[in-house]
Amino acid sequence: MDPVTKFSLTLQILGLTLCALSLLCSAFTFQDYSDALGKSILFFEGQRSGRLPPNQQLTWRGNSGLSDGSSYHVDLVGGYYDAGDNVKFGLPMAFTTTLLSWSVIEFGSSMQNHLENAKAAIRWGTDYLLKASTATPGALYVQVGDPNMDHHCWERPEDMDTPRNVYKVSTQNPGSDVAAETAAALAAASVVFKDSDPSYSTKLLKTAMKVFDFADKYRGSYSDSLNSVVCPFYCSYSGYLDELLWGASWLHRASQNSSYLAYIQSNGHILGADDDDYSFSWDDKRAGTKGFLEKNTQEFQLYKAHSDNYICSLIPGSSSFQAQYTAGGLFYKASESNLQYVTTTAFLLLTYAKYLSSNGGVATCGSSTVKAENLIALAKKQVDYILGDNPAKMSYMVGFGERYPQHVHHRGSSLPSIHAHPDHIACNDGFQYLYSRSPNPNVLTGAILGGPDNRDNFADDRNNYQQSEPATYINAPFVGAVAFFSSKTTTN
């Protein structure tokens, strides 16, 4: 980053810090954030696979994938499509569910009338993950749909006639990464439902324990077992060790069973607990795990240095600053689907700020210290940028604000609704809608897209999937982050 941009961003953050808690100089009101929260949850209805419930609010969607798994004699109906296609990928779906649950655990008290919808979004994911985890002993179903065939078509999910192949990991073909993430998702959700539905919570936790045991005992990456079925789409580039530590951490949090604590203490070094990492995503869990362990487990205060290193890497002017920001102030990590890193970063900043506030602590960055309000200010800058306080004056959440993207890379949203056009639209016939310059006929309310480039430029172009495609794992951490700002008591 050039010195001028770095200095400008430092001044922005200093200014934001002064008003981050009061929101008096905010571009958005508490009600705006609450509206964005409701919409960010509503988005998940647009990603639903299976038989839709009577209270479905995004009514342009219809039932889909009702025979998923049947040719393999298993019931794999339900779950979520990951992004703009019609495949159910297990790794990002599990991570999405974990992050939705973590959002509710940390900031559910700020969600008010949106809390039940958030829990319904979690349950839609966990109901499917339970099926995938228990259908066949010694196996975990991790995907429905052939992505290579699916991507050759532009079809509504309601019209799918591409192969609905089913893929699993097993004792012979392991997938510790996807299995441990599934265990994390089930364990995290068990915390969410512990009071409101104890029997469901118990079922989630017991299944999580079994899936984690499977992940740990039969070690290997699902990328090696499934190859071109999951790569390059959701290749486990970081390997599976980070997921084992992440899964064990969530199981310790959910069960309070000392065996998971002992597992982390015995295996942490091997599993990457001593590594510093500067991004948090569906693939790499290390940055999230360090902060989570420090916050939830007294025995792991030793991770504070690692958590501080991550936080300090994001703070302009700190001795270990290494993040990249655009001139408009957006955290920038990758050219494809960059906002996934923005939303996870904002969420981790706020969870760490909450932790620091609760114990009167600070993050240590060399000879300087960073307070909770500094982290809140930086997170707020990212949230506000997404919602429209940016150089383009465009909201990157569909349906929020006066100006938002109209050409979303999403099959169901870009094709005529099954209700408006009941006749089947075949595989190749749909491409006219992909290439059309007309706005999407169905508004995918709440979807956060891949976002602008490193110069704050955004092409509202359906063909530019790097910028215009939504994904469940972009929205999931944003639910927690925007919930924080929707509360009038943001110092909690």
Side-chain angles (χ1 to χ4, degrees), residues 112-127:
Q112 301 175 2
N113 61 320
H114 301 299
L115 178 59
E116 290 308 310
N117 286 336
K119 290 167 72 174
I122 294 167
R123 193 163 191 146
W124 196 270
T126 51
D127 280 352

Side-chain angles (χ1 to χ4, degrees), residues 123-155:
R123 193 163 191 146
W124 196 270
T126 51
D127 280 352
Y128 174 83
L129 294 175
L130 282 171
K131 291 180 181 182
S133 302
T134 59
T136 303
L140 170 68
Y141 290 92
V142 300
Q143 190 166 310
V144 180
D146 181 332
N148 296 290
M149 295 296 292
D150 180 90
H151 291 179
H152 283 134
C153 293
W154 195 262
E155 282 185 309

Side-chain angles (χ1 to χ4, degrees), residues 364-379:
T364 303
C365 301
S367 59
S368 61
T369 58
V370 178
K371 297 180 179 179
E373 51 262 37
N374 302 117
L375 307 187
I376 293 170
L378 182 54

Side-chain angles (χ1 to χ4, degrees), residues 389-402:
D389 188 11
N390 55 57
K393 302 302 178 187
M394 172 178 278
S395 164
Y396 295 109
M397 174 185 282
V398 175
F400 181 87
E402 294 182 3

Side-chain angles (χ1 to χ4, degrees), residues 27 32 120 180 228 315 323 330 380 382 479:
D32 290 332
S228 62
I315 306 297
L330 180 68
K380 184 175 180 297
Q382 304 309 305
V479 168

Side-chain angles (χ1 to χ4, degrees), residues 53-273:
N55 64 352
Q56 171 85 7
Q57 296 177 73
L58 286 188
T59 54
W60 51 266
R61 278 296 320 281
N63 299 331
S64 63
L66 297 181
S67 61
D68 280 357
S70 61
S71 59
Y72 297 79
H73 309 292
V74 290
D75 175 10
L76 294 175
V77 176
Y80 289 114
Y81 304 117
D82 69 303
D85 55 22
N86 300 324
V87 181
K88 296 191 299 200
F89 291 98
L91 182 57
M93 193 193 308
F95 180 69
T96 292
T97 307
T98 308
L99 268 288
L100 274 174
S101 295
W102 197 5
S103 290
V104 169
I105 291 165
E106 293 290 347
F107 304 115
S109 60
S110 300
M111 292 184 181
Q112 301 175 2
N113 61 320
H114 301 299
L115 178 59
E116 290 308 310
N117 286 336
K119 290 167 72 174
I122 294 167
R123 193 163 191 146
W124 196 270
T126 51
D127 280 352
Y128 174 83
L129 294 175
L130 282 171
K131 291 180 181 182
S133 302
T134 59
T136 303
L140 170 68
Y141 290 92
V142 300
Q143 190 166 310
V144 180
D146 181 332
N148 296 290
M149 295 296 292
D150 180 90
H151 291 179
H152 283 134
C153 293
W154 195 262
E155 282 185 309
R156 302 176 294 200
E158 296 85 358
D159 280 337
M160 277 188 295
D161 50 16
T162 50
R164 299 301 285 171
N165 296 355
V166 168
Y167 303 94
K168 66 183 178 182
V169 293
S170 63
T171 55
Q172 293 81 25
N173 295 289
S176 300
D177 28 34
V178 65
E181 183 61 63
T182 300
L186 296 171
S190 77
V191 178
V192 172
F193 292 105
K194 187 173 183 179
D195 294 329
S196 60
D197 194 339
S199 61
Y200 187 63
S201 173
T202 299
K203 183 178 182 181
L204 291 168
L205 183 55
K206 286 182 176 179
T207 307
M209 290 176 170
K210 291 178 181 177
V211 177
F212 182 79
D213 288 345
F214 167 74
D216 188 42
K217 185 175 181 180
Y218 303 100
R219 293 194 180 188
S221 172
Y222 93 138
S223 300
D224 294 331
S225 295
L226 295 174
N227 298 310
S228 62
V229 170
V230 297
C231 295
F233 314 101
Y234 291 104
C235 238
S236 183
Y237 297 103
S238 69
Y240 60 82
L241 298 179
D242 56 311
E243 274 88 11
L244 286 174
L245 186 63
W246 174 243
S249 302
W250 272 108
L251 278 161
H252 174 64
R253 167 70 174 82
S255 70
Q256 295 300 306
N257 187 319
S258 61
S259 67
Y260 295 106
L261 182 63
Y263 177 93
I264 296 165
Q265 290 172 325
S266 299
N267 296 283
H269 178 71
I270 301 168
L271 301 180

